[in-house]
Amino acid sequence: MIALTTPIETVRIDLADRSYDILIGENLLGQAATYGQLPKASAALIVSNTTVSPLYEAALRQALSSHYKVIHSVQLPDGEAHKDWVNLNHIFDTLLAHACDRKTVLFALGGGVVGDMTGFAAASFMRGVPFVQVATTLLAQVDSSVGGKTAINHPMGKNMIGAFYQPQRVVCDLGALKTLPARELSAGLAEIIKYGPIADMAFFDWIDTNMAALQACETQAMAHAVKRSCEIKALVVGQDERESGLRAILNFGHTFGHAIEAGLGFGEWLHGEAVGCGMVMAAHLSADMGLIDVAFVNRLTDLIQRAGLPIQGPVLNAQDNAGHYLALMQHDKKSIAGDIQFVLIDGPGKARVSAAPEAMVRAVIDRCCA
Ligand code: NAD
Ligand code: GLY
């Protein structure tokens, strides 16, 4: 349906009238055809940040100029620490200052922070305008841009204020990954690794074998990793869009990870780093609960370490570190009546969500933090 000059892979998110395509390939971002057949509008707003905008906004603007009469833009400050009300409001201020209407299409140009904020702005401006995710980090291409979770942080908890709101299209330009700092690439690898233990051990084995190619950002390896990650996410989201059950497995490593992010202050560790370390902790908990053997915990830990991610959690409180983690984890969105829920590996390739005895959780935190 879309005549592009470079080969692309397409993954479909099947959600009835909210279905859309994820386009994966090199040099997609700057081609007009990438943005064909989107909802008709006279105006578009590009939302980006001060790092990504100088790299890619001109190319996106050029591509969009065949589709929109006017293209406005807003640049947010860069970083997780700015995923807040003040900057969300900056998007609304820009939309209103330009007299944008309810047909205006928003383009999120950046990683997960810009994507989550633009999605939330699109969900709420005039009760909902269309938006497109132009994902420029690996983490955004394999996870955050797909599936319609949008949010900002609250000082007391990660992604606490937001909405489920699906984009019209997701664009994953593998060429954009070439300018990504190595630490950010590692953060994205965490979310790729995540899909193995919860859903697909053949993919886990493939990642294990191809880690060096992924770290070198080799196009063929990256194309496969992005496509397979999006396929797995599409399968899960297609069955449980609003996380009434199954979708929670995509939060493997996130219960511990979100506590690390909030406990250290947003932006201190990257989201992917906290998730990588959180997966190690959740794997230890799964083993302690008799669901997997220690050999698998060691294999997963080794892979996470080879991806350049931390495998030991930070000490958040010198007096009662485990108690501090527990208090932070109670704010997790999966908690039920104060009971913390964990995504546990129920045998390699399968996950389940459940509570865990507090003494076991404390023991894992004590063992995994230094
Ligand atoms: P990010 O958006 O902060 O981007 C990471 C850094 O890379 C930033 O400094 C950014 O400016 C820079 N950058 C982006 N693209 C670049 C490029 N091509 N070249 C050079 N620099 C570039 O972080 P992220 O890891 O992409 O996303 C993390 C966020 O995503 C977190 O807020 C997390 O909560 C959220 N998230 C959301 C979901 C979801 O389902 N909505 C899933 C996972 C994570
Ligand atoms: N990243 C978790 C989810 O999309 O559900």
Side-chain angles (χ1 to χ4, degrees):
M1 93 181 186
I2 295 169
L4 286 153
T5 57
T6 47
I8 53 159
E9 301 274 8
T10 304
V11 177
R12 181 90 176 150
I13 300 282
D14 240 319
L15 292 170
D17 62 347
R18 296 175 310 291
S19 300
Y20 53 94
D21 286 334
I22 305 165
L23 309 185
I24 304 160
E26 280 204 297
N27 310 317
L28 296 179
L29 190 155
Q31 290 191 54
T34 303
Y35 311 99
Q37 292 144 30
L38 287 169
K40 292 259 168 294
S42 57
L45 173 75
I46 299 172
V47 182
S48 191
N49 71 21
T50 49
T51 303
V52 180
S53 170
L55 294 170
Y56 299 111
E57 189 181 321
L60 177 59
R61 224 169 225 285
Q62 175 63 35
L64 295 182
S65 63
S66 334
H67 302 288
Y68 304 96
K69 263 202 270 182
V70 229
I71 301 164
H72 306 291
S73 64
V74 55
Q75 290 177 22
L76 305 176
D78 188 2
E80 185 74 35
H82 302 289
K83 191 178 167 183
D84 59 11
W85 273 118
V86 173
N87 288 293
L88 180 70
N89 213 33
H90 197 31
I91 303 176
F92 296 135
D93 290 345
T94 309
L95 285 161
L96 290 166
H98 291 298
C100 290
D101 60 25
R102 53 169 47 146
K103 286 192 181 296
T104 305
V105 184
L106 271 53
F107 288 82
L109 174 67
V113 170
V114 162
D116 280 13
M117 292 181 73
T118 308
F120 190 29
S124 35
F125 183 67
M126 297 202 177
R127 301 201 182 92
V129 292
F131 87 111
V132 173
Q133 292 269 18
V134 185
T136 61
T137 64
L138 182 57
L139 185 140
Q141 296 188 359
V142 300
D143 194 356
S144 66
S145 67
V146 175
K149 277 189 180 175
T150 76
I152 55 168
N153 297 326
H154 185 281
M156 283 169 66
K158 173 91 179 155
N159 293 334
M160 278 297 149
I161 299 149
F164 285 98
Y165 192 68
Q166 300 296 339
Q168 299 288 323
R169 187 165 300 160
V170 176
V171 177
C172 300
D173 187 332
L174 302 172
L177 302 179
K178 309 278 186 215
T179 54
L180 203 60
R183 192 177 163 200
E184 299 294 347
L185 198 79
S186 291
L189 291 173
E191 301 279 16
I192 294 176
I193 292 170
K194 167 185 88 176
Y195 292 112
I198 62 167
D200 184 350
M201 280 306 289
F203 185 44
F204 186 80
D205 294 341
W206 181 90
I207 299 165
D208 203 355
T209 309
N210 290 278
M211 181 49 78
L214 291 171
Q215 284 187 303
C217 211
E218 285 176 18
T219 302
Q220 274 199 330
M222 240 357 145
H224 178 71
V226 173
K227 181 172 182 236
R228 187 64 197 135
S229 299
C230 289
E231 282 171 350
I232 295 170
K233 186 150 187 186
L235 268 176
V236 174
V237 171
Q239 293 172 71
D240 181 22
E241 181 183 4
R242 289 178 160 255
E243 198 168 308
S244 46
L246 177 71
R247 183 166 178 169
I249 67 168
L250 297 174
N251 279 316
F252 176 47
H254 287 57
T255 313
F256 290 106
H258 284 170
I260 294 173
E261 287 188 88
L264 288 176
F266 295 118
E268 193 60 36
W269 275 29
L270 301 180
H271 175 72
E273 292 172 336
V275 167
C277 182
M279 287 193 285
V280 173
M281 295 169 88
H284 275 274
L285 186 59
S286 308
D288 289 1
M289 290 181 73
L291 302 171
I292 49 172
D293 55 30
V294 174
F296 185 68
V297 180
N298 292 339
R299 191 174 167 215
L300 176 62
T301 305
D302 172 67
L303 186 59
I304 290 169
Q305 187 164 36
R306 282 196 287 126
L309 294 159
I311 54 168
Q312 267 194 327
V315 173
L316 300 176
N317 182 296
Q319 274 76 46
D320 180 14
N321 188 44
H324 196 73
Y325 267 81
L326 284 163
L328 287 165
M329 290 191 294
Q330 250 154 11
H331 287 297
D332 188 89
K333 289 191 293 310
K334 291 185 297 306
S335 292
I336 302 168
D339 261 355
I340 305 164
Q341 304 291 308
F342 295 92
V343 181
L344 300 171
I345 300 306
D346 196 4
K350 202 165 150 244
R352 73 153 129 126
V353 181
S354 95
E358 185 179 315
M360 268 191 195
V361 179
R362 281 182 174 273
V364 165
I365 294 166
D366 289 344
R367 196 185 318 147
C368 294
C369 296

